[in-house]
């Protein structure tokens, strides 16, 4: 009998780790880049960016099996294991300990944000064709509300943090970075990536404002 | 010049009884450590308000930070009490039993879980078998030796586990110290024979993947053992091991 197939625990953890990067992290990066094109205006965004995606072949399969299902598995398993945390932030005020805590808290925050975000865009678009046809206008109406804009900014920053911090710990989990120096340098690289993705995301959000 | 050493100690009469606090005051003397102060206290265990109480129970042995038995929480941080010098500590010095481990009495804890973790990961080297496996002295390069030596300094004090947010009664995580011993034993020329078995043991529930990479362990380790490097190296070893398990040996 294959030993690591016995160790479903190990495979689940590694699958959870992998899904965070591929496809979810890759999708988030694509999603932020795609929506950063909001700055080119309603016509370009609706006709070039959104409709090109909507007309993709096999789109529902991609949405279900490449985005939704891995995301649900990642979230469900993450929630299941987050109960193990007993963070003592004041006793151990180190950056990695704070990131460890925020990784779990942000996961829960992102889940709440995604219910709202996907619910008011993709799901609402299922029965309101107007949302699909003029996504730019729909997003503009949503984001003009300062509360929604604040929620989106928070959701965006939490997601970017969760991705890049996850990436830096993933490198340790899989054994890419072993020495303290390698872990530190890769951490800085992840911070740089996070700043870049955050900037692209905020740029995209601002592009929807009138 | 200080005149007194102020102690605030969390006490507990037995494993099942509720904890309570007592404060003590002892005459100051230079160059004391927490163990020597507790020894002085044992001679005349009288609280600050003048009550004669039972002497404080705690564990200690070597007094030179190699046995690990005297670890406790000192001013909120887990560390061995023999190397905690009074002159370096903020007063009142708050002493609590080592967090996460079940209290036996006062500052004495039961570290059976440390032993169970070491047993579970097979943190030893088989030198006897049904045939002689010791063909001459095992050769280790000086570079490999000096890297492995860091892990051999572990004294099982449990500070890394006390500081770990993933370790405790809520989880079956074995903690950083036993994992570091897997790194050490897997690198040994004879210990390598059991490398696969050790890796399989830490690939199960409660093993390596229960680490959350908060990295408090490496911050509190009194022996400055590169615990997070061990965890990264074991991450690589288990990645390769799982590939061998899934696709066959290479």
């Amino acid at each position: 009998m294959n030993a690591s197939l016995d160790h479903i625990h190990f495979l689940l953890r590694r699958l959870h780790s992998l899904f965070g990067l591929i496809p979810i992290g890759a999708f988030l990066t694509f999603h932020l880049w795609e929506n950063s094109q909001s700055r080119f205006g309603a016509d370009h965004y609706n006709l070039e960016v959104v409709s090109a995606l909507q007309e993709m072949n096999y789109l529902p399969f991609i949405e279900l099996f490449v985005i939704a299902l891995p995301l649900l598995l990642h979230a469900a398993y993450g929630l299941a294991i987050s109960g193990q945390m007993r963070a003592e932030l004041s006793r151990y005020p180190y950056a990695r300990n704070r990131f460890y805590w925020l990784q779990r808290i942000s996961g829960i925050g992102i889940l709440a944000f995604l219910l709202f975000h996907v619910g008011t865009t993709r799901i609402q678009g299922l029965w309101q064709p107007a949302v699909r046809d003029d996504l730019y206008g729909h997003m503009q109406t949503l984001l003009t509300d300062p509360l929604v804009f604040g929620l989106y900014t928070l959701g965006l920053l939490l997601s970017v943090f969760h991705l890049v911090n996850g990436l830096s710990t993933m490198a340790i989990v899989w054994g890419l970075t072993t020495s303290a120096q390698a872990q530190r340098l890769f951490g800085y690289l992840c911070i740089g990536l996070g700043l870049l993705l955050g900037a692209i995301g905020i740029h995209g959000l601002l592009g929807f404002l009138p | 010049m200080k005149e007194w050493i102020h102690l605030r100690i969390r006490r507990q009469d037995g494993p099942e009884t509720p904890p309570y606090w007592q404060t003590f005051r002892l005459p100051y003397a230079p160059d004391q450590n927490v163990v020597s102060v507790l020894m002085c206290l044992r001679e005349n265990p009288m609280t600050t308000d003048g009550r004669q109480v039972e002497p404080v129970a705690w564990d200690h042995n070597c007094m030179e930070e190699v046995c690990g038995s005297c670890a406790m929480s000192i001013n909120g941080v887990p560390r061995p009490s023999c190397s905690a010098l009074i002159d370096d500590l903020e007063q009142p010095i708050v002493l609590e039993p080592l967090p996460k481990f079940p209290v036996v009495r006062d500052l004495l804890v039961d570290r059976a879980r440390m032993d169970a973790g070491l047993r579970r990961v097979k943190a030893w080297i088989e030198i006897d078998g049904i045939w002689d496996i010791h063909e001459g002295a095992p050769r280790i390069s000086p570079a490999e030796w000096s890297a492995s030596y860091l892990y051999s300094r572990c004294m099982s004090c449990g500070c890394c586990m006390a500081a770990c947010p993933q370790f405790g009664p809520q989880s079956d995580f074995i903690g950083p110290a036993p994992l570091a011993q897997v790194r050490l034993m897997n690198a040994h020329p004879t210990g390598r024979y059991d490398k696969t078995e050790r890796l399989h043991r830490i690939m199960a529930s409660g093993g390596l993947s229960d680490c959350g990479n908060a990295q408090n362990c490496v911050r509190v380790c009194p022996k400055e053992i590169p615990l997070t490097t061990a965890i990264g190296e074991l991450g690589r070893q288990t990645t390769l091991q799982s590939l061998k398990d899934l696709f066959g040996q290479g």
Side-chain angles (χ1 to χ4, degrees), chain B residues 163-203:
Chain B
C164 172
Q166 292 282 101
F167 179 86
Q170 83 281 5
S171 83
D172 60 351
F173 181 41
I174 54 171
L179 289 175
Q181 291 310 295
V182 174
R183 153 66 182 81
L184 175 66
M185 302 301 162
N186 278 2
H188 189 276
T190 310
R192 257 170 223 155
Y193 295 171
D194 295 310
K195 182 176 176 180
T196 304
E197 190 182 346
R198 283 193 205 96
L199 290 179
H200 282 156
R201 289 188 183 190
I202 63 166
M203 283 158 80

Side-chain angles (χ1 to χ4, degrees), chain A residues 70-115:
Chain A
L71 190 64
L72 278 176
L73 289 174
H74 185 83
Y77 194 68
L79 273 180
I81 60 177
S82 64
Q84 202 176 334
M85 171 173 80
R86 295 290 183 277
E88 298 171 287
L89 296 183
S90 53
R91 198 187 281 231
Y92 309 107
Y94 312 116
R96 288 271 188 188
N97 192 36
R98 289 180 176 156
F99 293 166
Y100 156 84
W101 170 82
L102 190 56
Q103 185 72 1
R104 281 140 188 84
I105 299 301
S106 65
I108 296 164
I110 292 163
L111 201 56
F113 168 72
L114 283 185
L115 287 176

Side-chain angles (χ1 to χ4, degrees), chain A residues 19-21 23-33 35 67 71 74-75 99 102-118 149-169 190-191 193-202 205:
Chain A
F19 276 176
L21 181 65
I24 305 168
F27 170 72
L28 177 66
T29 309
F30 168 74
H31 191 59
L32 296 181
W33 169 77
N35 286 299
I67 305 171
L71 190 64
H74 185 83
F99 293 166
L102 190 56
Q103 185 72 1
R104 281 140 188 84
I105 299 301
S106 65
I108 296 164
I110 292 163
L111 201 56
F113 168 72
L114 283 185
L115 287 176
F116 167 70
H117 172 54
V118 179
F149 190 84
L151 271 178
Y152 264 73
T153 311
L154 185 66
L156 163 78
L157 294 178
L158 286 182
S159 305
V160 168
F161 167 79
H162 196 86
L163 170 60
V164 297
N165 185 56
L167 186 61
S168 81
T169 55
C190 290
I191 290 176
L193 181 68
L195 290 176
L196 180 68
L197 286 178
I200 293 174
I202 287 182
L205 284 180

Side-chain angles (χ1 to χ4, degrees), chain B residues 1 25 39 57 65 117-118 167 170 189 192-193 215 217 231:
Chain B
M1 185 66 196
R25 194 175 66 174
M39 283 172 166
E65 206 189 58
L118 292 170
F167 179 86
Q170 83 281 5
R192 257 170 223 155
Y193 295 171
Q215 302 202 338
C217 54
I231 286 167

Side-chain angles (χ1 to χ4, degrees), chain B residues 227-249:
Chain B
L227 295 160
T228 50
T229 297
I231 286 167
E233 290 183 18
L234 291 174
R236 191 178 294 179
Q237 289 181 20
T238 50
T239 300
L240 296 174
Q241 185 59 48
S242 65
L243 289 177
K244 288 177 188 170
D245 292 338
L246 287 169
F247 300 110
Q249 291 287 330

